[in-house]
Amino acid sequence: MTAPTRERPYFPAPDVVRHDNGVRVESYRRDGTEVRLSFIPPGAAVTGRDLTRARVGMTVRGDLSVTVGEVTKAMRPEHDVYVVPPQVALSAVNPSERETVLLDITRGKPGENYPAPDGYFLEPLESRKFVKMDVTFFLADWIELMIADIPGGGQMPYHKHSHEQIGICLEGRYDMTVEETSHELRFGGTYFCAGQEGHSAENSHSGMARSLNIFIPPRYHRVPKQDEGREAS
């Protein structure tokens, strides 16, 4: 489906770049946020070049060894998340014999702070049922991630909230509506929803759809106080 111009703020078409080491990158952007899907062949390495921006990422397929600062971790698909603040180096290599897909979000907006958790990596905070979907949450001070399984016939009713929301289709396909614009999302398809922009999702197919939903600041959980007098957003 070719998105008309009026869809682009919500459902941007990707820019696609293939690097000399064989890594192919699909990039989706709105305002100060970029969502990147990197398809990393066996043995290939990637590095974070712009240290002025924060980065959050997870693997959705395959294996990846990621180093943030001086911390190295073997990331498990849809289980480990890195949260990297500005001015901290990030690099990764695919140590396996199959392609790895890395989903990476970079962000840099004036007035925002991007603190990192101790050790730079997150594991799932909780898994539970939510409006008949199985969901898993990851939580840092400034960002919350929710992986959701949308069963055939399942839907998220139309609603609005003050939190910015970004979503990426990880499996299957589903229809996403932002304001009055609808678009079918398939693997890698991304939507951007600013605060107070109405949105809904529906899986009208028989198979399961899977999505990653990102909330800035966190919507469903509040971070415990980090020190006296400081409360999370």
Side-chain angles (χ1 to χ4, degrees):
M1 177 178 179
T2 301
T5 301
R6 65 186 177 87
E7 286 192 355
R8 288 180 182 167
Y10 313 132
F11 305 101
D15 295 322
V16 181
V17 176
R18 185 178 292 276
H19 296 280
D20 292 341
N21 62 355
V23 176
R24 179 170 60 89
V25 178
E26 298 178 1
S27 174
Y28 303 81
R29 296 180 179 89
R30 184 181 181 186
D31 299 330
T33 304
E34 179 183 11
V35 173
R36 295 163 60 96
L37 277 172
S38 297
F39 299 80
I40 308 170
V46 295
T47 59
R49 298 179 180 178
D50 187 353
L51 296 183
T52 66
R53 297 168 64 84
R55 301 185 68 167
V56 178
M58 67 163 50
T59 56
V60 294
R61 295 178 187 165
D63 302 312
L64 198 66
S65 176
V66 175
T67 299
V68 180
E70 297 181 353
V71 180
T72 298
K73 187 175 184 63
M75 293 184 64
R76 292 159 288 181
E78 297 187 7
H79 185 275
D80 301 295
V81 172
Y82 58 73
V83 180
V84 185
Q87 307 308 323
V88 174
L90 179 149
S91 62
V93 62
N94 177 0
S96 72
E97 297 182 355
R98 60 174 181 164
E99 181 182 74
T100 292
V101 181
L102 171 66
L103 195 160
D104 182 80
I105 302 102
T106 66
R107 186 174 175 96
K109 287 192 172 185
E112 290 189 346
N113 294 314
Y114 306 110
D118 292 339
Y120 300 115
F121 290 91
L122 302 173
E123 293 190 355
L125 175 69
E126 69 164 335
S127 297
R128 59 182 170 88
K129 285 285 187 181
F130 178 70
V131 291
K132 299 182 180 180
M133 298 184 295
D134 291 318
V135 298
T136 298
F137 290 97
F138 304 80
L139 181 67
D141 284 66
W142 63 274
I143 190 170
E144 182 174 26
L145 296 86
M146 180 182 77
I147 296 176
D149 288 339
I150 312 171
Q155 62 178 315
M156 172 68 76
Y158 189 85
H159 63 289
K160 296 182 179 182
H161 46 69
S162 61
H163 305 254
E164 185 175 345
Q165 183 171 333
I166 303 163
I168 303 100
C169 180
L170 301 179
E171 184 179 333
R173 51 181 173 152
Y174 63 97
D175 295 317
M176 188 74 200
T177 298
V178 181
E179 294 292 275
E180 297 180 355
T181 301
S182 296
H183 197 91
E184 183 182 75
L185 296 182
R186 301 191 181 207
F187 181 76
T190 298
Y191 70 85
F192 292 84
C193 184
Q196 300 303 336
E197 289 181 343
H199 52 283
S200 64
E202 181 177 6
N203 178 5
S204 60
H205 310 283
S206 58
M208 179 74 68
R210 193 169 177 83
S211 68
L212 174 66
N213 303 276
I214 300 159
F215 303 94
I216 305 172
R219 182 183 181 206
Y220 293 105
H221 298 85
R222 295 182 67 84
V223 182
K225 291 183 179 181
Q226 303 298 306
D227 51 53
E228 188 65 27
R230 175 171 176 259
E231 187 172 339
S233 299

